[in-house]
Amino acid sequence: DAKTTQPPSMDCAEGRAANLPCNHSTISGNEYVYWYRQIHSQGPQYIIHGLKNNETNEMASLIITEDRKSSTLILPHATLRDTAVYYCIVRRTGANNLFFGTGTRLTVIP
Amino acid sequence: SAVISQKPSRDICQRGTSLTIQCQVDSQVTMMFWYRQQPGQSLTLIATANQGSEATYESGFVIDKFPISRPNLTFSTLTVSNMSPEDSSIYLCSVAKTVGPGNTIYFGEGSWLTVV
């Protein structure tokens, strides 16, 4: 799998946008970028994924750079319930499963 | 999406015993996987549960320790055999409805096992 690099922790003020970066400089042309989050004591929750184009859904936006070497997950209006560990995963070509790194622990501050 | 139910959600087990975890999905899925998350760690894939055939195990995991069954497209079990305190972890079932790049993988809430 293409290696991903995420900051170990970040803080964000409640109500502000949370921008979580991910570096994946060795990504291959047909590998997707996935984002999950894990709130304490729960199973990972799917957030969003993309290949080349930016993606948006009801939870977040995913911005992938043109060279695809990095991406940013944006939570537009962070709430306290968004406090979690966020995992950026590059899914290798042909793989049906996911390999998790250590993620970014996001803390939303009141 | 997929609704995934795991049982038990939590258990305390005696050293040397075995425990079977069940994973039930609300609809047919193509792929089912089992992950382990040790305390303070990230998720590690144990195996892919294959319907009607032996599971495919990742490096470091063996069938004798983690036997897996998948009798149909909505159900799978993972057994943790001859448990030791090092097996204290969250065990997670995950599923994919379709095969191929760009599909979505969903996770259950996990089964918290503490071995004493």
Side-chain angles (χ1 to χ4, degrees), chain B residues 2-116:
Chain B
V3 177
I4 304 168
S5 301
Q6 286 189 231
K7 291 181 180 180
S9 58
R10 189 180 294 265
D11 208 343
I12 299 174
C13 306
Q14 295 295 318
R15 182 193 304 252
T17 63
S18 299
L19 182 76
T20 296
I21 302 167
Q22 298 179 358
C23 177
Q24 178 73 56
V25 193
D26 68 336
S27 58
Q28 293 185 348
V29 295
T30 305
M31 309 291 294
M32 296 184 79
F33 310 96
W34 287 97
Y35 286 79
R36 180 177 74 180
Q37 187 172 27
Q38 294 177 299
Q41 303 297 313
S42 187
L43 282 76
T44 301
L45 179 67
I46 298 172
T48 301
N50 300 310
Q51 186 200 3
S53 64
E54 191 173 288
T56 304
Y57 290 85
E58 297 298 309
S59 176
F61 297 96
V62 296
I63 187 171
D64 290 346
K65 177 66 176 178
F66 298 102
I68 289 171
S69 78
R70 189 180 172 192
N72 56 49
L73 294 177
T74 63
F75 186 78
S76 177
T77 66
L78 168 74
T79 299
V80 186
S81 303
N82 188 25
M83 286 184 285
S84 67
E86 291 72 33
D87 294 319
S88 297
S89 297
I90 306 172
Y91 292 87
L92 294 141
C93 172
S94 73
V95 305
K97 287 195 166 184
T98 60
V99 176
N103 65 348
T104 302
I105 295 178
Y106 301 97
F107 286 81
E109 288 303 314
S111 298
W112 288 67
L113 299 190
T114 301
V115 184
V116 298

